[in-house]
């Protein structure tokens, strides 16, 4: 399976070299430790090597990048906004903003803009507000994605983590956006905010029912709060248990090795037909103590008595490392615990 850093193929680098009149560009870029570089490091390597082939004047260099960017669409084209981030002089703010706006149409400027957001938040948010009203969905998305306080792979924005209110007018302007590309960004941004300032997202749930696009955004923006079983959020989405609901016959793989798979099943009985959000939580054993993670099984109409079964991988991942010990499995319905059992995880089996 190819790695994301491999998007910079020999052919792509040769084409870029031709576009900047640098026949040796591929060889220059790939010298030394190229194979060891991660994706973002390769982006920076290419951007910095472009410097020697582009005009010394920033205005001319930016214009040249804007001209060739349509020939290099998609993720690899992120090197052009990266060049703007690195080499825009302090007194070229407006030209840098114009370049990032134009370049994001062909790739994304969401990482490059953060230098400017960190340097002058008020001034940048004025620009981002204008972008939020653009006719181009890529530019509207940049208004949201570029200001996300915890953008994956991007620099954190401590001031907006501490107080996200300055960016809310931008997100509010995009709550009915026609483009799914934009709506996903707004939902992810609001979900980021929900992790530290849930009240700001809960306030916006009053807009449920005003527009289908708004409903979609707010539902996805509330996923962390729903997993946390937040009462007000569950109620806003109609997930309030009626009548009597029970969970029984919970069975689970009693013992499994790291690298194996947990299998479990159970029955749900409800005295009233209703939509139920059915989840499970696993209390994972960590180096120190335990850490709980919630997973969704379904959210649908349940009538009478129904059976559910699920499997959960215990393979080690870069994002989750497993440890031996007694783990706990809990079945959650509409955010409340209904049944709990334990199972043991042993060391990974060796051949």
């Amino acid at each position: 399976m190819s790695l994301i850093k491999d998007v910079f193929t020999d052919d792509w680098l040769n084409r870029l070299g031709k576009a900047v009149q640098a026949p040796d560009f591929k060889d220059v870029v790939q010298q030394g430790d190229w194979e060891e570089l991660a994706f973002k490091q390769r982006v920076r390597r290419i951007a910095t090597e472009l410097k020697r082939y582009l005009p010394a004047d920033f205005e001319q260099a930016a214009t040249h990048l804007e001209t060739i960017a349509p020939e290099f669409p998609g993720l690899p084209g992120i090197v052009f906004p990266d060049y703007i981030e690195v080499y825009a002089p302090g007194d070229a703010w407006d030209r840098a903003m114009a370049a990032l706006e134009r370049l994001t149409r062909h790739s994304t400027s969401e990482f490059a803009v953060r230098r400017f957001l960190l340097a002058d938040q008020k001034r940048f948010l004025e620009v981002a507000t204008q972008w939020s009203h653009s006719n181009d969905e890529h530019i509207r998305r940049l208004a949201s994605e570029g200001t996300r306080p915890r953008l994956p792979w991007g620099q954190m924005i401590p001031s907006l983590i501490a107080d996200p209110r300055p960016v809310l007018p931008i997100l509010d302007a995009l709550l009915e956006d026609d483009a799914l590309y934009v709506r996903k960004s707004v939902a992810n941004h609001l979900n980021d905010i929900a992790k530290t300032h849930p009240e700001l997202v809960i306030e916006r749930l009053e807009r449920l029912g005003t527009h289908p696009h708004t409903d979609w955004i707010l539902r996805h923006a509330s996923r962390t709060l729903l997993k946390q079983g937040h009462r007000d959020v569950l109620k806003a989405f109609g997930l309030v248990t009626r009548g009597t609901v029970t969970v029984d016959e919970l069975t689970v793989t009693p013992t499994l090795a790291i690298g194996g798979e947990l299998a479990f099943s159970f029955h749900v009985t409800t005295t009233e037909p209703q939509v139920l959000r059915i989840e499970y939580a696993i209390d994972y054993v960590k180096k120190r103590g335990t850490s709980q993670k919630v997973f969704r099984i379904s959210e649908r109409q349940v009538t009478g008595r129904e059976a559910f079964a699920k499997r959960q991988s215990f393979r080690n991942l870069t994002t989750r490392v497993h440890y031996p010990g007694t783990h706990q499995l809990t079945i959650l319905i509409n955010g409340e615990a209904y049944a709990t059992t334990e199972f043991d995880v042993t060391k990974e089996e060796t051949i």
Side-chain angles (χ1 to χ4, degrees):
M1 184 174 67
S2 61
L3 302 174
I4 191 170
K5 68 179 184 178
D6 294 329
V7 295
F8 301 113
T9 63
D10 289 354
D11 175 67
W12 192 92
L13 291 169
N14 281 326
R15 289 194 298 111
L16 181 54
K18 184 177 180 180
V20 295
Q21 298 182 337
D24 61 342
F25 188 73
K26 177 182 76 70
D27 294 333
V28 170
V29 166
Q30 292 183 338
Q31 64 184 339
D33 59 352
W34 173 256
E35 291 300 324
E36 284 71 49
L37 298 182
F39 171 71
K40 289 293 291 293
Q41 293 171 316
R42 289 189 175 188
V43 170
R44 185 56 52 87
R45 166 74 64 82
I46 295 169
T48 53
E49 293 300 341
L50 278 172
K51 174 68 171 172
R52 72 169 76 184
Y53 301 105
L54 291 173
D57 178 73
F58 176 72
E59 164 70 32
Q60 295 179 28
T63 298
H64 190 70
L65 293 179
E66 292 165 353
T67 301
I68 67 174
E71 302 173 32
F72 301 90
L75 184 60
I78 201 174
V79 299
F80 303 137
D82 195 66
Y83 181 95
I84 303 300
E85 175 188 353
V86 175
Y87 293 112
D91 60 357
W93 176 284
D94 291 339
R95 183 64 184 91
M97 291 298 100
L100 293 172
E101 177 181 337
R102 292 165 186 160
L103 293 171
T104 205
R105 296 174 175 138
H106 309 292
S107 182
T108 179
S109 297
E110 66 197 69
F111 304 108
V113 299
R114 303 173 92 75
R115 164 197 161 182
F116 304 93
L117 173 55
L118 287 165
D120 191 334
Q121 178 174 300
K122 183 176 184 296
R123 187 178 183 184
F124 180 81
L125 291 182
E126 290 173 355
V127 176
T129 298
Q130 296 174 13
W131 288 344
S132 70
H133 297 287
S134 171
N135 291 327
D136 189 306
E137 66 181 68
H138 297 86
I139 297 171
R140 296 197 306 276
R141 178 184 180 273
L142 180 60
S144 168
E145 201 72 1
T147 54
R148 279 181 65 182
R150 300 176 185 271
L151 181 67
W153 287 1
Q155 290 174 281
M156 286 190 178
I157 312 298
S159 59
L160 292 179
I161 292 175
D163 181 9
R165 288 175 297 178
V167 82
L168 290 176
I170 293 172
L171 303 182
D172 288 342
L174 299 170
L175 283 177
E176 297 181 7
D177 203 279
D178 289 333
L180 180 60
Y181 188 48
V182 177
R183 295 200 300 274
K184 285 182 177 180
S185 174
V186 176
N188 288 335
H189 194 150
L190 286 170
N191 186 57
D192 286 348
I193 291 173
K195 295 173 183 177
T196 52
H197 296 78
E199 72 282 358
L200 297 179
V201 175
I202 293 170
E203 287 173 4
R204 279 154 180 77
L205 296 183
E206 295 178 0
R207 305 187 191 193
L208 285 169
T210 60
H211 194 283
H213 293 340
T214 302
D215 291 353
W216 189 95
I217 288 173
L218 293 177
R219 162 64 86 162
H220 287 77
S222 300
R223 59 187 184 271
T224 293
L225 298 176
L226 287 168
K227 282 187 174 183
Q228 291 173 348
H230 199 291
R231 294 288 96 197
D232 291 340
V233 178
L234 288 162
K235 183 177 180 180
F237 289 104
L239 298 171
V240 178
T241 307
R242 304 190 312 274
T244 301
V245 173
T246 58
V247 172
D248 59 15
E249 296 188 22
L250 173 58
T251 59
V252 63
T253 306
T255 303
L256 69 146
I258 294 172
E261 193 173 57
L262 174 73
F264 63 95
S265 62
F266 58 95
H267 286 80
V268 174
T269 303
T270 174
T271 58
E272 294 187 31
Q274 59 187 306
V275 174
L276 297 176
R277 181 182 177 90
I278 302 173
E279 302 168 298
Y280 64 99
I282 294 179
D283 288 291
Y284 288 97
V285 173
K286 311 304 284 185
K287 276 188 176 180
R288 298 178 181 84
T290 60
S291 176
Q292 186 179 86
K293 185 169 179 60
V294 176
F295 304 88
R296 190 172 76 162
I297 296 176
S298 73
E299 185 179 313
R300 62 173 177 81
Q301 182 84 3
V302 177
T303 302
R305 180 175 172 83
E306 295 191 27
F308 293 85
K310 189 71 177 177
R311 306 181 79 87
Q312 178 72 36
S313 173
F314 269 71
R315 288 187 296 109
N316 282 329
L317 306 171
T318 55
T319 54
R320 186 181 305 137
V321 176
H322 298 287
Y323 296 88
T326 300
H327 292 54
Q328 185 170 281
L329 171 73
T330 302
I331 306 302
L332 306 170
I333 297 181
N334 290 349
E336 295 185 2
Y338 274 73
T340 299
T341 191
E342 294 181 341
F343 61 96
D344 290 321
V345 175
T346 61
K347 292 182 180 179
E348 190 167 9
E349 296 176 351
T350 57
I351 298 176

